[in-house]
Amino acid sequence: MSKFLPYSRQAIDEDDIASVRRALTSNFLTTGPEVKQFEQELQTALAVKHALAVNSGTAALHLAWRALGVGVAGLTIGDKVIVPSVTFLSAAVMAVLEGLELVFVDCDPDNGLMSAQNIRDAVANDGDANKIKAICVVHLNGQFADMAEIKKLADSNGWKIIEDACHAMGGKQIGMDGRYYPIGACHYSDITVFSLHAVKNITTGEGGIVTCNNDEWAMKMRDWRSHGMIRDRDRFDIQHLEANASWYHEMHEWGMNYRISDIQAALGRSQLKKLSKFIQARADIFALYRDLFASLSESACEKLQLLKLADGNGIAAWHLAVVLIDFNKVGKTRGAVMQELHEQGIGTQLHYLPIYRHRFFNEGAGKSEGNEPIILSGAETYARRALSLPIFYGMNRDDVMRVVNALKQICRL
Ligand SMILES: *Cc1c(COP(=O)(O)O)cnc(C)c1O
């Protein structure tokens, strides 16, 4: 049988191994020079003032929500924040960790992206919308929401914006001036967050990045990343002889250990060099899927089609290749289709069950007014049909054709 095609996988080459070996044989496995250099290279690549490398995308999201709480105008416990419904759990859970209340927003049933209109609807349905202070937007599958419209809406309400770009590393948005900006530059947002988990566009095994252009937030996030420990003399409360000692430090606010190791940062540095190559390969694979699905008959398209493109707002980073299948019309469950694909050596995945369906949200943190379970029709329609097909650097033309042919056969197109 031919090789197994997972829905996603890492691409590690000899340069990556050499980079990790360099870190492993250096004097520092952590808090060494690799992390600083990785961050500087990220700042250049993403055209942003501050990039912090941390040990997961979830840690990055926690730091981001907490940073939005800095200062008198910042978020406080009990404030509400708008979060996506079709996304990974972290953005919403980390907001809850910061004492924020969730307002789930619906999305386009054909690509899972939230629109400004979805947000207006969520606000209109919310009992105390005046408590809303921020919004988190996810760039699902590596496509982008209409950030220009969302930013206008956010600005007119005084909301802060987090971009959850865990899928979108390497993508480029068209800015307000018509120019291209790397995702991570925070052109339309206050803070952007990435994950460096193994299946993401580049990887450090586990890892994350948070970017912003705000000096105070960056300083605080650096403190919180490492237990809240301050080693900068200018910031000490106590100015005595001991404060001049190299071991001296102060803690003014509690922190975590969200540090990434130098071993991981070294891997991140060599992966970052290949980001544009990876993104181009993903774009080519996606384009091939698009061509193959475009040649299906009209009756076949009623059963199955590729997700809708969000054309015109930038260059997507095709993290996932999602096909939308009407499983009723096909006459098989999603589980059965996935199983049959698996038997043919093809891995698939669902991204995602609407997160408000999890008990944690539906009975607790995100509970709708009046205790009815939250149901958002766009999110339900998207999630009922979505299936992520294999897309990763190293997949070739034949692999893509094998996936499409298997799908055609299994769905009897
Ligand atoms: C992967 C992912 C995360 C979490 O990142 P980790 O590095 O796994 O903690 C959060 N949000 C989205 C949209 C993701 O895809």
Side-chain angles (χ1 to χ4, degrees):
M1 198 171 103
S2 31
K3 69 179 182 216
F4 187 81
L5 296 171
Y7 83 88
S8 182
R9 60 159 292 142
Q10 71 279 11
I12 299 293
D13 66 12
E14 289 303 321
D15 290 338
D16 295 317
I17 293 166
S19 196
V20 169
R21 183 177 291 120
R22 178 186 72 229
L24 281 172
T25 52
S26 77
N27 289 328
F28 296 96
L29 296 187
T30 190
T31 57
E34 297 282 350
V35 175
K36 273 198 198 93
Q37 275 156 13
F38 184 35
E39 291 181 341
Q40 277 164 13
E41 287 159 9
L42 285 165
Q43 282 157 203
T44 305
L46 304 178
V48 70
K49 195 163 179 199
H50 303 286
L52 274 79
V54 294
N55 53 23
S56 74
T58 305
L61 279 158
H62 183 204
L63 294 178
W65 285 121
R66 194 170 168 193
L68 295 189
V70 169
V72 281
L75 305 191
T76 50
I77 291 175
D79 281 347
K80 289 190 157 191
V81 295
I82 295 171
V83 294
S85 299
V86 176
T87 186
F88 188 63
L89 305 166
S90 303
V93 175
M94 292 302 106
V96 172
L97 187 57
E98 284 300 302
L100 303 166
E101 285 180 31
L102 306 176
V103 178
F104 287 101
V105 66
D106 205 2
C107 60
D108 187 321
D110 295 325
N111 63 20
L113 297 173
M114 68 168 76
S115 67
Q117 189 53 47
N118 290 140
I119 298 166
R120 278 188 217 103
D121 292 345
V123 171
N125 291 333
D126 195 82
D128 42 3
N130 60 327
K131 283 167 71 183
I132 297 172
K133 296 289 161 57
I135 176 163
C136 174
V137 183
V138 63
H139 297 315
L140 195 69
N141 306 315
Q143 297 206 92
F144 322 130
D146 185 346
M147 291 304 294
E149 282 300 309
I150 291 174
K151 181 166 167 56
K152 254 189 249 162
L153 182 62
D155 285 350
S156 68
N157 286 286
W159 303 334
K160 303 258 184 359
I161 305 178
I162 294 176
E163 281 176 274
D164 181 345
C166 288
H167 291 188
M169 175 77 127
K172 291 194 174 79
Q173 281 169 327
I174 298 178
M176 289 173 268
D177 52 7
R179 294 224 289 266
Y180 284 92
Y181 289 84
I183 297 284
C186 299
H187 181 73
Y188 289 111
S189 63
D190 294 283
I191 302 187
T192 305
V193 170
F194 299 99
S195 167
L196 301 172
H197 177 268
V199 299
K200 303 294 161 77
N201 297 354
I202 63 168
T203 187
T204 56
E206 299 279 2
I209 300 161
V210 50
T211 66
C212 69
N213 292 302
N214 180 306
D215 297 339
E216 190 182 11
W217 293 349
M219 182 185 77
K220 295 262 186 186
M221 289 194 288
R222 281 180 202 286
D223 293 347
W224 302 330
R225 172 173 64 179
S226 198
H227 310 284
M229 287 164 77
I230 297 172
R231 294 182 179 280
D232 175 1
R233 240 171 257 168
D234 298 342
R235 296 171 57 207
F236 289 164
D237 288 339
I238 296 169
Q239 300 288 348
H240 54 51
L241 267 183
E242 289 237 299
N244 286 323
S246 63
W247 56 263
Y248 186 80
H249 58 268
E250 294 184 357
M251 185 192 77
H252 301 168
E253 294 177 351
W254 60 271
M256 289 70 61
N257 180 351
Y258 282 168
R259 293 189 305 262
I260 195 168
S261 71
D262 275 50
I263 308 166
Q264 292 166 299
L267 179 55
R269 291 181 68 198
S270 70
Q271 287 267 302
L272 183 60
K273 291 194 187 120
K274 292 172 285 206
L275 177 61
S276 53
K277 180 173 84 170
F278 288 170
I279 295 303
Q280 186 56 52
R282 287 173 174 278
D284 292 344
I285 294 164
F286 187 84
L288 189 53
Y289 273 125
R290 199 179 52 191
D291 292 347
L292 293 171
F293 283 117
S295 66
L296 292 181
S297 69
E298 216 168 288
S299 66
C301 287
E302 280 176 21
K303 289 186 184 167
L304 173 160
Q305 53 188 301
L306 212 54
L307 85 175
K308 187 173 83 185
L309 302 186
D311 269 341
N313 62 6
I315 302 169
W318 295 118
H319 171 58
L320 297 171
V322 173
V323 63
L324 302 174
I325 303 178
D326 188 328
F327 292 98
N328 284 332
K329 286 195 181 136
V330 166
K332 292 179 182 178
T333 62
R334 175 160 42 206
V337 171
M338 289 174 80
Q339 178 60 33
E340 289 184 46
L341 284 166
H342 190 88
E343 281 160 14
Q344 296 197 32
I346 296 164
T348 52
Q349 189 54 270
L350 166 62
H351 300 94
Y352 300 89
L353 193 71
I355 59 172
Y356 52 70
R357 287 214 194 180
H358 292 283
R359 174 146 59 96
F360 174 73
F361 298 119
N362 220 337
E363 286 186 1
K367 197 174 62 184
S368 61
E369 330 272 325
N371 285 335
E372 303 126 54
I374 308 158
I375 297 285
L376 297 169
S377 69
E380 294 291 323
T381 306
Y382 180 82
R384 190 164 56 235
R385 297 178 297 158
L387 192 66
S388 301
L389 304 177
I391 185 167
F392 54 87
Y393 180 81
M395 242 181 115
N396 62 33
R397 239 189 124 72
D398 290 344
D399 295 332
V400 178
M401 296 206 305
R402 200 178 114 207
V403 173
V404 174
N405 287 335
L407 204 53
K408 276 168 139 172
Q409 178 233 320
I410 290 164
C411 296
R412 301 189 205 100
L413 301 184

